[in-house]
Amino acid sequence: LGPNCAVSEVLSLLRRSLAPGLIANIRNNQAKSDRLGFFEIGSVFSATPGAVKKEKAGDEFLPYQETRLAVAISDSSSDLFSQIKGVIVSLLQAAINPEAEPQFLALDDLPAWTDAKEAAKILFRGHDLGLIAMVSTEAADNINLKKATAIAEINFDLLARLAIAAGPVRWREAPKYPAVRRDIAIVVADKVLYNDLKKEIVLASPLVVSAELFDTYSGDKLSSGEKSLAFHLEYRSDDRTLTASEVEEEEKKVLDRLQEKHAARLREF
C-alpha cells in the first residue's frame, strides 16, 4: 500500500502493523539501557477498501484504516512473555473492569517476526482484540536485535468501544490480608491449553486469587508429546492471614485437580 505523495522513499508505504517500528526502536536503543519499553497509538491500513471515498463523486474507497495500540518491552529476564500478558491484563482491568480476564489462545495467522512457540491472540468477551508475541531469534538476527523483545498489539478502536460500553470502572477495597505466593511447574500433554489449566487452577480452590504463566519448556528432559508450564500462584483469604499449612493444603487441591482433569504431574527437574 503506497500513498500518492510520500515525504521520502522510506515512508512510501502505508504500514500494516505498529510492531516493526517498535522493534526498530528497541534495536536502536538497546545499548542505552538494560530494560527498555515503548508504546505507540497509531493508524494501520489494509488492502481492504474502507468506508471513506477517495473523491466525493468517485466510486473508489481509501484503504481500511484502524487505530491500534502497541507495546514493546525488552530486557534480559526469562519471563517477558508472561510480562507482556500482564501488561494486557492490567490495561483491561484499568480501562474496563478490575476483574477483567482475557484469554490467550493459539495464534494461527503468525506475523513474520513472531516466535511461533510464544505467540497468542487476545480474546476478550468474544472479541479478537489483538496479539502478543516474542520476536523470533531469526527475525532478531536479521536486524541485529540483541535483546529478547515482547510485543503486544491491539485494536484501540475496539478497546475504546468496550471501555465506553462498560461504563465507569468500579474498584474493590484493597485486601486487608497479604497474599502468599507459590510457584508450581507441571508436565502435561502438548495438546493441553494454558487457559484450560488456568481455569482448573482457579476452580480448585477459592483461595487462589491469581494464576499467571511465567515459563514454558519442551525439550530432551521430557518425553515426546509433552510440555512443562510453570505458574505463579497467589493465595489469599479475605478474613485472615493464611498459614503455611493452609497454603500447602490448597496447593495439593490444585495439583490433585490438574492431575484429575489433565493428567498433569509435578516437574521433577
Side-chain angles (χ1 to χ4, degrees), residues 27-262:
R27 179 200 60 200
N28 295 340
N29 290 277
Q30 59 189 345
K32 299 177 181 179
S33 176
D34 292 334
R35 179 171 175 79
L36 295 167
F38 296 94
F39 78 93
E40 180 182 359
I41 298 174
S43 297
V44 300
F45 304 84
S46 73
T48 305
V52 180
K53 287 188 175 183
K54 286 185 177 181
E55 299 178 2
K56 289 184 178 180
D59 296 325
E60 293 186 82
F61 291 84
L62 294 171
Y64 174 77
Q65 179 176 337
E66 179 179 290
T67 303
R68 291 187 186 172
L69 164 64
V71 178
I73 56 175
S74 178
D75 67 19
S76 57
S77 69
S78 61
D79 64 345
L80 274 180
F81 193 57
S82 176
Q83 289 182 39
I84 202 70
K85 283 183 178 179
V87 169
I88 295 302
V89 172
S90 296
L91 173 64
L92 294 176
Q93 290 179 345
I96 298 174
N97 188 305
E99 298 181 354
E101 283 288 345
Q103 291 180 284
F104 298 97
L105 306 176
L107 183 61
D108 298 323
D109 188 13
L110 293 169
W113 53 268
T114 58
D115 181 339
K117 293 182 179 179
E118 292 188 290
K121 69 177 179 180
I122 306 163
L123 191 69
F124 183 66
R125 295 183 176 176
H127 298 280
D128 187 348
L129 193 58
L131 64 85
I132 58 170
M134 294 294 296
V135 177
S136 69
T137 301
E138 181 181 3
D141 289 343
N142 286 341
I143 63 169
N144 198 32
L145 177 64
K146 304 297 185 183
K147 290 181 176 291
T149 301
I151 300 288
E153 186 166 0
I154 65 173
N155 184 329
F156 188 75
D157 294 326
L158 176 57
L159 175 65
R161 291 197 298 271
L162 291 172
I164 292 170
V169 174
R170 299 184 183 277
W171 296 95
R172 293 184 301 175
E173 182 181 359
K176 294 181 180 179
Y177 299 93
V180 178
R181 188 170 185 174
R182 295 284 180 88
D183 293 344
I184 62 168
I186 57 173
V187 177
V188 293
D190 274 336
K191 65 181 180 180
V192 178
L193 300 178
Y194 152 77
N195 282 299
D196 292 335
L197 292 170
K198 182 173 180 178
K199 174 184 175 183
E200 298 302 335
I201 289 171
V202 173
L203 290 174
S205 167
L207 299 181
V208 175
V209 295
S210 175
E212 292 299 328
L213 180 71
F214 72 90
D215 185 46
T216 60
Y217 171 81
S218 57
D220 55 10
K221 294 182 179 180
L222 296 175
S223 301
S224 176
E226 290 186 327
K227 64 182 178 182
S228 173
L229 297 93
F231 290 84
H232 294 309
L233 303 186
E234 286 191 356
Y235 302 85
R236 183 169 56 234
S237 170
D238 291 334
D239 57 18
R240 68 190 187 281
T241 298
L242 295 175
T243 64
S245 60
E246 285 179 309
V247 174
E248 288 170 5
E249 183 178 342
E250 298 308 307
E251 188 174 89
K252 185 178 184 303
K253 291 179 183 178
V254 169
L255 294 172
D256 286 347
R257 188 177 182 96
L258 291 177
Q259 196 282 327
E260 176 189 351
K261 298 295 183 179
H262 296 293

Side-chain angles (χ1 to χ4, degrees), residues 12-32:
S12 64
L13 298 177
L14 298 176
R15 59 186 178 177
R16 306 183 76 166
S17 170
L18 302 182
L22 289 180
I23 294 170
N25 286 342
I26 296 289
R27 179 200 60 200
N28 295 340
N29 290 277
Q30 59 189 345
K32 299 177 181 179

